[in-house]
Amino acid sequence: MIQLIVNGQPRRFPVRNHGKAQDSDGRVLNITDLLEHMGLQGKRIAIERNGEIVPRSKFDQPMLADGDRLEIVVAVGGG
Amino acid sequence: MRKRETVLDHLNIADKDYSSRLLVGTGKYKDFSETRAAVDASGAEIITVAIRRTNLGQNPDEPNLLDVLPSSQYTLLPNTAGCYTVEDAVRTLRLARELLDGHTLVKLEVLGDPKTLYPNMVETIKAAEILIKEGFQVMVYTSDDPIAAKQLEEIGCVAIMPLASLIGSGMGILNPWNLQIIIENASVPVIVDAGVGTASDAAIAMELGCDGVLMNTAIAAAQNPILMASAMKKAVEAGREAYLAGRMPKKLYSASPSSPVEGTIASSSAPASKDKSI
């Protein structure tokens, strides 16, 4: 299990290794897996990890590490 | 005095033409279908949206605003509502750009306090500089301070959006004189953003020479939002046409009847004026 801070809330996620090697920094989960785990796959969202935008093209790269802070946002009504 | 175009009267923002000069927000509606109906009744082409954290793990089938108001049909203008710092505003718009597939036209607002929602101009200017450097086209919410407005234009904002009165107040145009100075000094579009309460407020803003009006609460909080959206569309058009037409001068006396003075069937002439100058 790893712990991520998602939209300000601490959450624990199982590590699921789809045959992908763990990188040298111990990053084992990618964004696509995370979104699927949270039921957000296919949604119009944008993601920031530790203050930096994660482009959609990088969603499949294993990059999440224990303690990462993620913001997952959507467009809502506003003035 | 700025040029009064009479042909092809389009609102041009960042090299794109828009035929509607009314920009509307999408907040405070009871549901997305009312939002969509109000937007359509307003005729607005540019509509603001907010960027917020998604609900985690709740209502997976929750409708999405971007499905109701697709970017193929509207120019979406993501805002930084609720941001009180440069960092929060810049991060929010970077997320918006990613969310909207590289879209760069944005509405920047950096607020000063939650009670008045008045803009913090020092932070606003800093945020605008960063965003422009990063390639954003920034439409900026500002106080009605002509100097701040000019500074925002000079650093490269594509539209200057002074408040008419506080956000959501519906108090109308409190300082037409400052707006007039901002309009006369600006070479980018000036759009009144915030404070409009009813149709006449929007018409007055346009008669002053504003290039457009942005509103949300005036429509969403009306008893009948759809009807008010339609009223605002007409008010903005009427105000624009009146501005282009050029109003008659105001005069307290020297009345000039619209009907011929000769040929009436009256048996006696009008009483003589005591004023020798008439």
Side-chain angles (χ1 to χ4, degrees):
Chain A
M1 300 288 275
I2 62 169
Q3 178 165 292
L4 305 172
I5 312 294
V6 183
N7 289 355
Q9 301 169 20
R11 296 196 153 223
R12 296 179 72 79
F13 295 91
V15 173
R16 288 189 294 172
N17 212 339
H18 294 294
K20 289 183 193 102
Q22 204 168 310
D23 75 9
S24 56
D25 297 325
R27 293 169 184 167
V28 287
L29 190 68
N30 66 34
I31 300 273
T32 303
D33 293 340
L34 177 79
L35 294 177
E36 194 187 321
H37 187 79
M38 298 197 311
L40 292 171
Q41 67 274 32
K43 302 276 178 197
R44 289 290 299 270
I45 47 116
I47 297 189
E48 185 192 69
R49 171 179 163 262
N50 298 333
E52 302 287 331
I53 297 292
V54 183
R56 256 166 264 169
S57 59
K58 293 194 174 165
F59 279 12
D60 286 334
Q61 293 179 12
M63 60 157 68
L64 296 174
D66 201 40
D68 275 357
R69 303 186 71 88
L70 296 174
E71 295 292 344
I72 306 179
V73 300
V74 289
V76 301
Chain B
M1 211 55 190
R2 296 202 301 164
K3 200 176 133 206
R4 296 186 172 194
E5 310 87 357
T6 48
V7 196
L8 285 177
D9 183 41
H10 286 146
L11 170 61
N12 185 287
I13 298 173
D15 293 325
K16 198 176 164 200
D17 279 340
Y18 301 90
S19 49
S20 171
R21 291 176 180 272
L22 174 57
L23 295 75
V24 299
T26 54
K28 300 184 181 173
Y29 289 99
K30 71 171 195 280
D31 53 33
F32 282 158
S33 90
E34 188 182 66
T35 312
R36 171 74 194 232
V39 166
D40 286 348
S42 77
E45 294 161 283
I46 301 177
I47 59 178
T48 63
V49 298
I51 304 298
R52 289 290 178 272
R53 286 172 164 173
T54 187
N55 281 334
L56 295 178
Q58 298 152 17
N59 302 330
D61 296 321
E62 203 174 23
N64 186 317
L65 182 68
L66 299 180
D67 296 330
V68 182
L69 297 166
S71 53
S72 54
Q73 290 174 43
Y74 306 91
T75 297
L76 300 180
L77 190 64
N79 69 24
T80 59
C83 292
Y84 290 86
T85 64
V86 172
E87 195 200 346
D88 286 350
V90 169
R91 283 173 58 204
T92 298
L93 291 177
R94 286 178 185 148
L95 280 163
R97 176 160 63 181
E98 181 62 24
L99 180 65
L100 300 173
D101 308 313
H103 172 93
T104 55
L105 188 69
V106 295
K107 170 179 162 177
L108 171 66
E109 54 187 298
V110 186
L111 303 174
D113 80 65
K115 188 175 177 187
T116 63
L117 301 177
Y118 206 80
N120 178 330
M121 294 315 301
V122 174
E123 298 282 296
T124 300
I125 289 171
K126 281 189 213 157
E129 281 172 335
I130 294 169
L131 290 165
I132 290 163
K133 218 170 276 173
E134 294 186 12
F136 286 93
Q137 295 171 311
V138 178
M139 300 174 68
V140 60
Y141 176 59
T142 175
S143 62
D144 61 1
D145 170 352
I147 305 304
K150 197 64 197 169
Q151 285 176 322
L152 290 165
E153 180 183 338
E154 282 165 0
I155 63 176
C157 291
V158 299
I160 306 301
M161 307 205 289
L163 50 80
S165 47
L166 298 182
I167 291 175
S169 70
M171 292 283 284
I173 295 163
L174 300 187
N175 195 339
W177 311 109
N178 270 31
L179 289 180
Q180 213 164 327
I181 294 169
I182 292 171
I183 291 162
E184 283 181 17
N185 290 336
S187 48
V188 295
V190 175
I191 293 168
V192 155
D193 179 4
V196 163
T198 188
S200 53
D201 296 334
I204 289 168
M206 295 307 294
E207 286 172 9
L208 284 171
C210 287
D211 296 279
V213 180
L214 198 169
M215 64 180 75
N216 191 152
T217 312
I219 296 174
Q223 299 295 307
N224 182 337
I226 319 296
L227 192 56
M228 186 58 89
S230 162
M232 290 299 186
K233 175 180 198 269
K234 291 167 185 159
V236 167
E237 287 170 0
R240 178 64 183 176
E241 287 185 12
Y243 168 73
L244 292 175
R247 60 153 299 147
M248 64 163 283
K250 287 181 184 175
K251 45 194 177 181
L252 188 54
Y253 279 107
S254 77
S256 159
S258 301
S259 307
V261 281
E262 303 300 327
T264 67
I265 59 163
S267 53
S268 59
S269 54
S273 171
K274 285 173 188 162
D275 184 345
K276 285 175 191 162
S277 70
I278 294 179

